[in-house]
Structures are given as structure tokens and as C-alpha cells.
């Protein structure tokens, strides 16, 4: 059985504006922001504004709202970062690799011949994240 949603998770704090993030896209239901430990240039995260731990307790409505934004961000990221493709990743519970327990989809641009960096590999420079978020916002406009 899946554990209960913890409203003190880091993405809930980002959603409440308690900690900063480099925002890329926002509407009344969804937020997208840069991953602080990017696995490739332009790695970002798409989350619902409503609580869900992961896919296992998400509602059909949350998933229905999320997927068009995931696609929109993936297309914008490929354009903004001149990527050759994009990986969409989504982990459910710790044994499956989940570390932050608010539902999120990773959008990771991929480049021919460039290996993906490890999950939670290292913090990126804030100025680079800010510049990448700005590039994505332009590609989304
Ligand atoms: P998960 O393993 O849960 O699918 O991935 C969580 C992701 O959140 C990781 O890729 C990690 O780099 C990212 N992350 C962890 N803490 C923060 C944070 O405070 N801000 C942002 N923007 N990303 C975070």
C-alpha cells in the first residue's frame, strides 16, 4: 500500500513559494521548473499543483492535465537546447528511484553521443539554471 502524501516534500514547498525554483511554465493546474541536479542540459520537471505522491495514487484528472504540458515542455526543450530527442522519466516509490514524493515527470533533453548524467548527480550552477529556464520560456512563447 502506498504511503500518505507528505505536504512537507520539497516540491510542495516550491508550489507554496516557500523555496525558490527556476520556473518554466505555469497554469492553474501545472508547474514546470528546472531540475537542480540536471541529468542533461535543459532537464526540467513537470508537476501537478494538487497533491499526489506519484502515479500510483494520482487521479486520472491529474494525469490528463499533466500529459499535454509534458509534451509541450518536451517539444520546447528540444527546440530551445537543439537536442536530438528527449527522455520522459517518472519514478514510483523509493525502490523504483523516487526521491521526492510529489508526482513529477522528468523531461530530459538528449544529445547524440552524449551519455545522460547520473540521477541526483550534482547541483548545477544557479546562473546556468536561470539562463536555461529563460531559454525554455522563450521556446514556449
Ligand atoms: P525523483 O527521483 O523523485 O524522480 O527525482 C527528484 C528530482 O528532483 C531529482 O532529479 C532531483 O535532482 C530534483 N530535486 C531535488 N531537490 C530539488 C530542489 O530543491 N529543487 C529542484 N528544482 N529540483 C530538486
Amino acid at each position: 500500500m502506498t504511503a500518505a502524501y507528505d505536504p512537507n516534500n520539497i516540491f510542495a514547498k516550491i508550489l507554496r513559494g516557500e523555496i525558490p525554483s527556476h520556473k518554466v511554465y505555469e497554469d492553474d493546474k501545472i508547474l514546470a521548473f528546472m531540475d537542480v541536479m540536471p541529468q542533461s542540459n535543459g532537464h526540467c520537471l513537470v508537476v501537478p499543483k494538487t497533491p499526489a505522491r506519484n502515479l500510483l495514487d494520482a487521479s486520472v484528472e491529474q494525469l490528463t492535465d499533466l500529459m499535454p504540458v509534458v509534451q509541450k515542455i518536451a517539444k520546447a526543450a528540444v527546440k530551445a537546447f537543439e537536442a536530438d530527442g528527449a527522455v520522459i522519466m517518472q519514478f514510483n516509490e523509493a525502490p523504483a528511484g523516487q526521491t521526492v514524493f510529489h508526482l513529477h515527470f522528468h523531461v530530459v533533453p538528449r544529445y547524440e553521443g552524449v551519455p545522460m548524467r547520473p540521477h541526483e548527480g550534482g547541483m548545477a550552477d544557479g546562473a546556468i539554471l536561470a539562463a536555461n529556464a529563460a531559454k525554455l520560456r522563450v521556446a514556449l512563447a
Side-chain angles (χ1 to χ4, degrees):
M1 173 157 165
T2 306
Y5 180 81
D6 174 6
N8 288 320
N9 75 76
I10 202 95
F11 295 167
K13 290 181 181 176
I14 286 175
L15 285 165
R16 290 195 295 268
E18 293 167 11
I19 64 165
S21 66
H22 297 283
K23 291 184 187 174
V24 166
Y25 172 89
E26 182 164 17
D27 64 30
D28 57 336
K29 293 175 175 165
I30 308 290
L31 179 68
F33 51 93
M34 303 311 293
D35 192 307
V36 284
M37 290 176 261
Q39 289 183 252
S40 84
N41 194 36
H43 181 172
C44 57
L45 301 166
V46 186
V47 310
K49 290 188 170 177
T50 47
R53 261 176 88 80
N54 54 43
L55 200 74
L56 302 177
D57 65 337
S59 67
V60 169
E61 288 74 18
Q62 284 173 312
L63 299 175
T64 304
D65 292 336
L66 273 163
M67 286 319 289
V69 179
V70 170
Q71 183 193 35
K72 195 192 293 255
I73 301 287
K75 287 168 98 167
V78 166
K79 183 174 154 196
F81 303 108
E82 297 179 354
D84 301 306
V87 172
I88 308 303
M89 300 189 296
Q90 191 279 317
F91 305 121
N92 301 286
E93 300 301 324
Q98 187 175 11
T99 59
V100 178
F101 297 93
H102 180 104
L103 174 62
H104 54 281
F105 285 83
H106 297 255
V107 177
V108 187
R110 296 300 308 274
Y111 307 87
E112 189 65 47
V114 180
M116 198 155 79
R117 294 194 288 269
H119 193 47
E120 307 234 291
M123 293 279 280
D125 187 291
I128 292 174
L129 293 177
N132 283 348
K135 270 190 194 175
L136 258 171
R137 288 194 299 268
V138 168
L140 281 162

